[in-house]
Amino acid sequence: MKLLSEAVLAGDRLSLARLITGIENQQPDAYTHLDHLFPYTGNAQLIGVTGSPGSGKSSLVNRIAYYYRHPDENQPTRKVAVVAVDPTSPFTGGALLGDRVRMRDLAGDSGVFIRSMATRGALGGLASATSQVVQVLDAAGFETIIIETVGVGQSEIDIARLAHTVVVVEVPGMGDHIQAGKAGILEIADILVVNKADQDGADHTVRLLNQMLDLEYSQELENITHHHQREREGLPAEQGNPLNQWRPPVLKTVATQGEGVSELVRRLNKHYRHLESCDELRNREEKRLQNEFDHLLRDGLITRWRNEITDERYKDIIAGLMKRDYSPREAVRKLVSMGSFLLLT
Ligand SMILES: Nc1nc2c(ncn2[C@@H]2O[C@H](COP(=O)(O)OP(=O)(O)OP(=O)(O)O)[C@@H](O)[C@H]2O)c(=O)[nH]1
Ligand SMILES: [Mg+2]
């Protein structure tokens, strides 16, 4: 039973691909292998790359991966995996244009593994499937795992939460778009990239983004002043130490030429060290695991409850709600406090 997960641990690529397919298809034995692999996870640096369609994410991810494989002198090479998640595409299997581009540069390198994933059913399912695929790659010894996803909607935010560092890719001349998507960008970006900097208006977009960040972080600055004042007065630090704040840098890249990529990788690594130094790495990991556990627990309890009661009983409960005999919240409270899921009075 353990064979497949052992082969994955030993670095067998075919087994790795098979297990990922099993997870995508929600095969029960794939989950058993995932359980075997769990003790070997938690080591990889996870990078999320998101942005509008066509902004150059795949080209950039390709360059980042290549850079980790061929770093500047005195830097160790790293094994890199790429998971390209496309919430809008019903297809899967590595047929995306970006992947073909990638294949050309990175083909034949056993230190690189690239995989595309697409929507199957609910988006929440996609986020958890991505999380599981990342766990497999982590256990398989990939030191850096890049998760690429389109847009900045809720599904991307869920996927972004998996990553230690989130890169949001913009392109020149997106002023109005930036205004509209401001909240989403600021919520998730650790690093902002203006790609296609070979096109007009790149500097303008960089300025816009910096202004946006200045507004956001002037508040942080006040918090820091407040923090120092408390320190001088010998008062204990308040929760959420503002000195832990990271102001996202805004970088320019030309992904097609590889310009700006070494600086981007330098900042990626710097952000990772920043997370380490303020214990944020542990906090994020804890939050992530807690989230996953809560989700599974909820799913598990719902499944168990639905297996225990008949469809008729379920309809009765809903009918009670329709008659306003009890509210949904009251119904849940009663069902849960009774320990048995069978009765509702
Ligand atoms: N001029 C210019 N073109 C670029 C640059 N980066 C990417 N492109 C081009 O932009 C197009 C889209 O690039 P992709 O890397 O596929 O963009 P993407 O964001 O992954 O696209 P989707 O996955 O479809 O959302 C391609 O034709 C690239 O060659 C750049 O820095 N400058
Ligand atoms: Mg792409």
Side-chain angles (χ1 to χ4, degrees), residues 147-183:
I147 306 154
E148 174 191 334
T149 176
V150 181
V152 279
Q154 185 56 48
S155 60
E156 296 76 28
I157 289 177
D158 286 345
I159 291 164
R161 270 192 243 279
L162 296 172
H164 296 121
T165 304
V166 175
V167 179
V168 173
V169 183
E170 293 287 343
V171 290
M174 294 187 93
D176 295 340
H177 160 83
I178 289 168
Q179 283 304 319
K182 195 167 137 176

Side-chain angles (χ1 to χ4, degrees), residues 17 46 56-57 69 132 154 178 180 213 233 236 244 324:
L46 309 182
K57 298 175 297 296
R69 297 303 297 150
Q132 288 155 356
Q154 185 56 48
I178 289 168
L213 289 165
E233 291 168 5
N244 289 351
R324 303 297 192 265

Side-chain angles (χ1 to χ4, degrees), residues 43-204:
N43 304 310
Q45 173 190 18
L46 309 182
I47 299 169
V49 176
T50 188
S52 334
S55 51
K57 298 175 297 296
S58 299
S59 313
L60 202 58
V61 166
N62 185 19
R63 291 287 180 170
I64 296 169
Y66 190 85
Y67 189 87
Y68 276 123
R69 297 303 297 150
H70 307 269
D72 291 342
E73 263 177 84
N74 306 323
Q75 302 273 349
T77 61
R78 292 195 200 177
K79 289 180 73 182
V80 186
V82 176
V83 186
V85 187
D86 189 348
T88 59
S89 163
F91 307 110
T92 188
L96 307 174
L97 170 69
D99 290 340
R100 281 205 292 274
V101 175
R102 271 196 277 261
M103 286 307 175
R104 220 168 40 216
D105 292 346
L106 302 167
D109 183 346
S110 65
V112 177
F113 189 89
I114 297 165
R115 181 70 180 221
S116 295
M117 292 180 63
T119 316
R120 279 174 202 254
L123 283 175
L126 186 61
S128 68
T130 307
S131 157
Q132 288 155 356
V133 167
V134 165
Q135 281 177 22
V136 172
L137 293 166
D138 185 350
F142 290 94
E143 295 155 296
T144 295
I145 301 171
I146 309 174
I147 306 154
E148 174 191 334
T149 176
V150 181
V152 279
Q154 185 56 48
S155 60
E156 296 76 28
I157 289 177
D158 286 345
I159 291 164
R161 270 192 243 279
L162 296 172
H164 296 121
T165 304
V166 175
V167 179
V168 173
V169 183
E170 293 287 343
V171 290
M174 294 187 93
D176 295 340
H177 160 83
I178 289 168
Q179 283 304 319
K182 195 167 137 176
I185 292 172
L186 285 184
E187 188 187 343
I188 66 171
D190 297 303
I191 296 174
L192 284 158
V193 166
V194 178
N195 187 43
K196 307 198 182 182
D198 53 330
Q199 295 179 351
D200 284 349
D203 288 328
H204 178 66

